[in-house]
């Protein structure tokens, strides 16, 4: 017989646990530092190598962060200095009207749902301290004026969220006042640096780079050895033995790329792409085992450190007497070079305006920097019909392109990579408009957040990008995600593995070399990864 | 009327209430965004949850074929597995469906459900919950696997060259290797 049931109330069903978060204002909602979202603290020896303050081993999950006694004074003095030095920082602290236009534009907010990851929320964490110590209303009215005391807990919160921002600048695109939260994070990290609050994943590479020229601390023989391995692999695949030179004085061009390309898959295949292309062109270029890192993790610590690490690029160009520099496929390397190198290490008046020796094109856009991006160089070659290409060798690929935040928003390199990809692949599909070009979503792991201990954070931040990839996979069968950034190549591989299995990751020049018909090559059976070319599967 | 017909008729209301209950597990500012932002690329979490529960409900109303329903549970749990939830919090949204359905039953004076049917429905929801725990666990395991793979990718060539130089015979060469 049917009976009317007495129904338990919703909350009676899951009585023991309350899943509804407390409805407190952000200042009263304490920040809990959770495993999976933060990177390990820096090691004292790495901080000492570069003479960073408060060098000691420390662990963010410990209660005691081993701060100097006068930490508050140091932090506030640092803030005062930066406010005086950078007008933009002062303006960004003052002018936000909390309109909320940026609120839902950050991949970390979108993926985590944590309101302190809204760009306006992230900035407010620091702004509240600014108000307390640097504005009359904040000094007098305190909390009513949105001001708060800089306590140890507040410091920890600042640290936690400064390392949940990839300085991607997506939010700044939507702010009617042009407030760039990335710059606020940069300033915040610089102040935290004064207290030795660096992460291991950043300070290790910084120390290595300072001592050996690259993030991994590879010495010249290890670099040459790795490239020799690639030369063997290129010969196996193409039958052509390429013959690059190292540290060669008098070469026309110096080539600088992130060290990830030398050792980390799939970047290594991109690197083979550069080697094959330059060989085919007979380019008069050299590698340097000293300027062996295009990336610059110093940029994630302090302006001064970034400048120190970057100086080797012009210094090496000068020592070798080259005419100009070509840079490989990297993201933040280009942001740093494009926006800071001339001010930091210039003027590069010993170099010439880059002119392609193959096409005669003069790259006037690089008149000051004297350095061009390899996709600019290759796009120009293709435009002038200088490469013999067989795109059908990439017919097993259905490709989409991820704009790295740095090359797109940081330097406006939008069309060259696309032009190159479309010239070497027959199947290309764009992701939705609001996720590409200037509006691109970050990979979720930039600015030194690509460690493994913070994998949950990386996956949250990577979700909006991955979600758009999933869409083109379902709609067009996309199976390859191309990009021009070494960090993307590493971190998007992880992100795809979690969110969109079946989509792999590639640099653009890997596909160029696969399509490139080289003089004297044998009939190719496989691509650079050693997988059969389309139509050769049975061999 | 059978429970199946009842649930089919009430599906939009159930989906809506269930969606709101799930969103209530997020802070207020966030749940507003998850609820109101309709662009699926700007709001992938809201979109994934919304789409997932529609599909799960479709299955639940009839018979639960775990094989069919798994991808939809997976899409929601994959998100919650990397957010600030404990395993029980992450999976709790399945149990909240019981209360949503009971509220609908209570609110409708024209339909009285038989205890047998209700028990059967509860056990279907329980089976979804059990499957959810497994899926959640797999997502967490995947994260560990990704960490290990990433390390391998980062150092593969270094190790390979070191082995070659040291004469180790077992170094694979990339041309034979599949990623
Ligand atoms: S710069 Fe990028 S990561 Fe930082 S708050 Fe803005 S959108 Fe988020
Ligand atoms: S969009 Fe600009 S003004 Fe509006 S809340 Fe964000 S930072 Fe402030």
């Amino acid at each position: 017989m049917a009976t009317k049931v007495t129904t338990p109330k919703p909350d009676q069903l899951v009585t023991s646990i309350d899943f509804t978060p407390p409805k407190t204002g952000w200042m009263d909602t304490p920040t809990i530092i959770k495993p999976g979202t933060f990177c390990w603290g820096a090691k004292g020896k790495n901080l000492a190598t570069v003479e960073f303050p408060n060098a000691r081993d420390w662990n963010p999950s410990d209660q005691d962060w081993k701060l100097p006694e006068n930490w508050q004074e140091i932090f506030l003095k640092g803030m005062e200095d930066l406010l005086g030095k950078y007008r933009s920082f002062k303006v960004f602290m003052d002018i936000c009207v909390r309109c909320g236009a940026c609120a839902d534009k950050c991949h970390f907010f979108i993926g985590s749902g944590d309101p302190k990851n809204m760009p306006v929320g992230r900035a407010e964490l620091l702004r509240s301290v600014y108000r307390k110590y640097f504005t009359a209303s904040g000094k007098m009215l305190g909390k009513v004026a949105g001001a708060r005391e800089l306590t140890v807990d507040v410091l920890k919160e600042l640290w936690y969220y400064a390392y949940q921002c990839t300085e991607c600048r997506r939010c700044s695109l939507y702010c009617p006042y042009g407030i760039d939260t990335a710059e606020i994070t940069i300033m915040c990290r610089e102040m935290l640096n004064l207290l030795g609050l660096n992460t291991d994943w950043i300070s290790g590479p910084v120390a290595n780079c300072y001592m050996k020229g690259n993030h991994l601390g590879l010495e010249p023989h290890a670099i040459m050895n790795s490239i020799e391995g690639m030369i063997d692999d290129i010969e196996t695949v193409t039958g052509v033995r390429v013959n690059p030179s190292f540290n060669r004085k008098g070469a026309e061009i110096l080539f600088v790329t992130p060290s990830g390309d030398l050792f980390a898959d799939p970047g290594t295949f991109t690197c083979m792409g550069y080697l094959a292309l330059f060989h085919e062109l007979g380019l008069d270029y050299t590698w340097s085992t000293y300027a062996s890192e295009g990336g610059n993790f110093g940029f994630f610590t302090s302006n001064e450190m970034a400048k120190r690490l970057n100086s080797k690029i012009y210094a090496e160009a000068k020592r070798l007497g080259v005419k100009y520099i070509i840079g490989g496929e990297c993201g933040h390397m280009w942001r740093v070079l494009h926006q800071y190198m001339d001010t930091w290490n210039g003027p590069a008046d010993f170099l010439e305006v880059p002119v392609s020796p193959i096409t005669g094109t003069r790259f006037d856009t690089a008149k000051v920097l004297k350095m061009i991006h390899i996709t600019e160089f290759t796009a120009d070659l293709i435009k002038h019909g200088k490469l013999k290409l067989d795109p059908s060798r990439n017919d097993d690929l259905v490709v989409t392109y991820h704009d790295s935040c740095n090359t797109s928003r940081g330097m406006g390199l939008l069309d060259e990579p696309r032009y190159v990809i479309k010239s070497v692949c027959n199947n290309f599909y764009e992701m939705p408009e609001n996720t590409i070009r200037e509006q691109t979503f970050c990979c979720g792991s930039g600015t030194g957040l690509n460690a493994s201990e913070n994998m949950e954070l990386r996956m949250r931040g990577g979700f909006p990008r991955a979600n758009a990839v999933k869409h083109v996979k379902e709609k067009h069968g996309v199976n390859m995600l191309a990009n021009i950034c070494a960090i993307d190549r590493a971190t998007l591989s992880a992100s795809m593995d979690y969110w969109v299995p079946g989509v792999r990751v590639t640099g653009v020049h890997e596909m160029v070399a696969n399509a490139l018909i080289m003089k004297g090559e044998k009939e190719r059976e496989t691509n650079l990864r050693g997988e059969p070319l389309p139509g050769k599967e049975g061999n | 009327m059978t429970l199946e017909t009842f649930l089919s008729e009430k599906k939009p209301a159930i989906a809506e209430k269930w969606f709101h209950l799930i969103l209530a597990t997020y802070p207020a500012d966030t749940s507003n965004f998850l609820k109101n932002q309709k662009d699926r690329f700007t709001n992938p979490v809201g979109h994934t949850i919304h789409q997932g529960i529609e599909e799960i409900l479709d299955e639940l109303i009839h018979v639960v074929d775990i094989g069919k329903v798994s991808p939809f549970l997976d899409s929601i749990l994959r998100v919650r597995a990397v957010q600030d939830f404990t395993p029980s919090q992450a999976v709790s949204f399945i149990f909240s469906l019981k209360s949503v359905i009971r509220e609908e039953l209570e609110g409708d004076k024209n339909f009285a459900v038989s205890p047998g049917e209700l028990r059967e429905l509860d056990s279907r929801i329980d089976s979804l919950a059990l499957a959810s725990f497994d899926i959640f666990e797999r997502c967490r395991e995947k994260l560990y696997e990704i960490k290990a793979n990433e390390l391998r990718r980062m150092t593969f060539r270094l190790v390979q060259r070191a082995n070659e130089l040291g004469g180790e015979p077992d170094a694979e060469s990339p041309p034979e290797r599949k990623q």
Side-chain angles (χ1 to χ4, degrees):
Chain A
M1 190 187 75
T3 48
K4 191 76 203 169
V5 290
T6 16
T7 58
K9 292 281 168 264
D11 52 346
Q12 288 174 304
L13 282 166
V14 273
T15 40
S16 55
I17 323 159
D18 179 11
F19 296 113
T20 314
K23 287 191 176 42
T24 46
W26 71 264
M27 267 198 218
D28 302 315
T29 310
T31 287
I32 301 161
I33 295 183
K34 291 195 181 133
T37 54
F38 64 86
C39 297
W40 306 134
K43 292 198 176 68
K45 69 172 174 36
N46 289 328
L47 297 181
T49 300
V50 290
E51 292 157 344
F52 271 169
N54 200 22
R56 83 269 174 245
D57 290 353
W58 73 287
N59 183 349
S61 55
D62 285 350
Q63 199 53 36
D64 178 10
W65 282 14
K66 303 181 191 167
L67 298 170
E69 212 155 285
N70 60 339
W71 67 267
Q72 201 195 45
E73 191 189 315
I74 297 173
F75 188 94
L76 293 172
K77 173 76 178 60
M79 192 164 186
E80 187 182 348
D81 290 348
L82 292 173
L83 286 164
K85 197 164 161 197
Y86 302 110
R87 178 104 190 101
S88 55
F89 181 36
K90 172 106 178 49
V91 170
F92 294 165
M93 286 292 102
D94 281 327
I95 62 165
C96 171
V97 293
R98 286 182 255 180
C99 69
C102 62
D104 60 356
K105 302 305 185 292
C106 175
H107 50 287
F108 282 116
F109 170 68
I110 295 172
S112 70
D114 178 349
K116 288 180 188 168
N117 269 326
M118 291 177 177
V120 54
R122 192 188 309 288
E124 203 63 16
L125 301 175
L126 187 62
R127 219 172 254 137
S128 55
V129 173
Y130 164 76
R131 289 197 194 102
K132 175 78 197 167
Y133 298 94
F134 299 96
T135 67
S137 61
K139 276 179 198 161
M140 265 160 47
L141 300 171
K143 200 170 166 183
V144 182
R148 64 174 176 169
E149 201 100 14
L150 179 62
T151 61
V152 171
D153 284 342
V154 167
L155 182 76
K156 288 183 176 182
E157 185 177 59
L158 288 172
W159 180 83
Y160 194 51
Y161 287 99
Y163 287 92
Q164 291 190 42
C165 167
T166 43
E167 300 172 7
C168 79
R169 299 174 105 189
R170 187 169 195 267
C171 50
S172 74
L173 210 63
Y174 303 88
C175 174
Y177 297 93
I179 294 175
D180 185 354
T181 307
E183 274 202 29
I184 298 175
T185 297
I186 291 171
M187 295 297 133
C188 192
R189 286 197 190 183
E190 178 136 6
M191 290 178 256
L192 292 163
N193 182 54
L194 297 172
L195 302 172
L197 296 178
N198 306 72
T199 68
D200 183 41
W201 191 257
I202 293 172
S203 58
V206 165
N208 279 336
C209 213
Y210 187 62
M211 298 304 287
K212 305 266 172 72
N214 56 72
H215 291 157
L216 283 171
L218 303 165
E219 294 181 358
H221 64 277
I223 294 170
M224 291 162 76
N225 190 259
S226 173
I227 292 182
E228 266 156 31
M230 294 182 194
I231 295 172
D232 292 344
D233 291 346
I234 294 170
E235 187 175 14
T236 309
V237 173
T238 66
V240 177
R241 189 150 186 94
V242 306
N243 191 18
S245 61
F246 296 90
N247 307 323
R248 180 164 59 87
K249 287 194 174 169
E252 183 180 358
I253 298 162
L254 168 66
F255 181 64
V256 179
T257 202
S259 65
D261 284 352
L262 300 175
F263 291 95
D265 286 352
T268 47
F269 305 114
T270 313
C271 196
M272 288 187 218
Y274 312 142
L275 286 161
L277 174 69
F278 293 161
H279 176 86
E280 180 59 19
L281 298 171
L283 203 67
D284 179 14
Y285 85 108
T286 184
W287 292 78
S288 164
T289 54
Y290 166 57
S292 51
E293 180 64 76
N296 189 336
F297 271 33
F299 189 56
F300 312 138
T301 61
S302 75
N303 184 60
E304 191 52 34
M305 195 67 235
K307 178 178 167 181
R308 274 161 103 184
L309 296 186
N310 202 71
S311 60
K312 64 181 178 281
I313 296 181
Y314 277 158
E316 184 67 335
K318 193 169 195 175
R319 186 180 75 89
L320 296 176
V322 300
K323 288 189 183 152
Y324 66 94
I325 312 165
I326 295 182
E329 295 186 18
C330 186
H332 76 276
M333 150 179 165
W334 276 99
R335 161 115 154 252
V336 167
L337 300 173
H338 194 74
Q339 297 183 341
Y340 302 92
M341 182 154 78
D342 178 54
T343 333
W344 284 341
N345 315 122
D349 44 14
F350 51 92
L351 295 174
E352 296 174 13
V353 179
V355 175
S356 169
I358 317 295
T359 64
T361 300
R362 196 179 129 101
F363 292 89
D364 278 320
T365 43
K367 206 157 37 185
V368 175
L369 210 55
K370 316 286 187 353
M371 181 160 184
I372 51 170
H373 193 285
I374 187 163
T375 56
E376 297 176 89
F377 179 72
T378 305
D380 173 64
L381 292 170
I382 296 172
K383 186 90 187 158
H384 286 88
K386 298 293 182 191
L387 299 181
K388 271 172 90 179
L389 298 166
D390 176 4
S392 75
R393 286 184 190 163
N394 285 320
D395 273 355
D396 54 330
L397 307 182
V398 186
V399 183
T400 192
Y401 176 67
H402 160 74
D403 292 270
S404 144
C405 310
N406 289 303
T407 50
S408 59
R409 281 190 284 274
M411 65 181 287
L413 192 71
L414 303 166
D415 293 313
E416 289 85 344
R418 289 179 163 79
Y419 177 73
V420 174
I421 295 170
K422 287 184 202 162
S423 306
V424 300
C425 296
N426 288 321
N427 313 309
F428 176 77
Y429 297 95
E430 290 281 12
M431 285 180 272
E433 209 182 334
N434 56 349
T435 71
I436 56 167
R437 298 177 73 94
E438 290 91 344
Q439 296 188 73
T440 189
F441 275 120
C442 178
C443 65
S445 307
T447 61
L449 298 190
N450 52 327
S452 65
E453 61 269 22
N454 61 339
M455 195 57 84
E456 282 86 334
L457 174 79
R458 289 177 48 189
M459 291 301 122
R460 294 171 193 178
F463 184 43
R465 165 44 74 226
N467 177 59
V469 176
K470 189 166 176 229
H471 174 72
V472 283
K473 178 183 186 239
E474 284 163 2
K475 199 164 166 200
H476 305 292
V478 161
N479 59 15
M480 192 57 98
L481 177 57
N483 61 76
I484 51 168
C485 167
I487 289 184
D488 281 336
R489 282 190 282 281
T491 64
L492 287 173
S493 297
S495 173
M496 290 302 109
D497 217 4
Y498 188 74
W499 295 113
V500 206
V503 174
R504 300 192 295 169
V505 177
T506 183
V508 170
H509 278 78
E510 176 184 341
M511 297 188 293
V512 169
N514 279 329
L516 185 68
I517 301 172
M518 298 172 75
K519 289 183 277 296
E521 72 174 22
K522 66 174 191 185
E523 187 175 341
R524 293 200 204 178
E525 300 288 332
T526 71
N527 61 24
L528 289 175
R529 296 188 190 199
E531 300 156 348
L533 289 176
K536 305 276 174 136
E537 291 85 355
N539 300 4
Chain B
M1 187 163 47
T2 62
L3 180 59
E4 188 172 329
T5 331
F6 176 83
L7 291 176
S8 299
E9 274 175 17
K10 298 281 182 185
K11 193 192 140 192
I14 293 172
E16 195 60 17
K17 280 193 185 157
W18 194 22
F19 185 54
H20 284 196
L21 264 190
I22 298 174
L23 297 192
T25 59
Y26 292 90
D29 287 344
T30 308
S31 61
N32 285 339
F33 160 71
L34 294 176
K35 211 178 304 171
N36 300 327
Q37 173 54 261
K38 298 292 178 225
D39 184 288
R40 58 181 286 195
F41 300 107
T42 302
N43 180 11
V45 173
H47 175 78
T48 302
I49 296 174
H50 200 270
Q51 203 187 25
I53 62 174
E54 291 270 338
E55 309 277 2
I56 294 167
L57 279 179
D58 276 341
E59 277 295 308
L60 184 81
I61 290 170
H62 310 293
V63 252
V64 176
D65 174 347
I66 291 295
K68 267 199 201 157
V69 85
S70 277
F72 310 119
L73 289 172
D74 184 290
S75 63
I76 297 177
L77 287 157
R78 195 158 288 270
V79 173
R80 292 171 79 85
V82 294
Q83 293 182 329
D84 271 345
F85 296 112
T86 61
S88 62
Q89 287 172 335
V91 173
S92 67
F93 76 97
I94 294 291
F95 296 107
S96 62
L97 184 57
K98 288 189 181 178
S99 55
V100 171
I101 292 178
R102 278 171 163 77
E103 268 184 17
E104 282 303 312
L105 285 168
E106 232 183 15
D108 191 312
K109 302 290 172 225
N110 302 319
F111 176 65
V113 67
S114 79
E117 273 186 312
L118 193 64
R119 256 199 313 277
E120 217 266 314
L121 179 74
D122 277 350
S123 86
R124 271 190 249 159
I125 296 177
D126 289 342
S127 67
L128 287 181
L130 289 176
S132 295
F133 276 112
D134 288 346
I135 292 169
F136 181 85
E137 192 52 35
R138 276 205 299 277
C139 289
R140 299 293 306 175
E141 276 166 16
K142 186 75 194 171
L143 289 174
Y144 289 103
E145 190 190 309
I146 288 170
K147 290 182 200 180
N149 283 345
E150 193 168 69
L151 192 69
R152 194 182 53 80
R153 271 198 299 267
M154 271 185 327
T155 52
F156 177 80
R157 201 160 280 268
L158 277 178
V159 175
Q160 180 202 27
R161 289 303 283 177
N163 285 346
E164 276 171 14
L165 294 177
E168 290 276 333
D170 59 354
E172 280 181 296
S173 78
E176 270 84 52
R177 184 167 47 94
K178 300 277 176 293
Q179 264 220 321

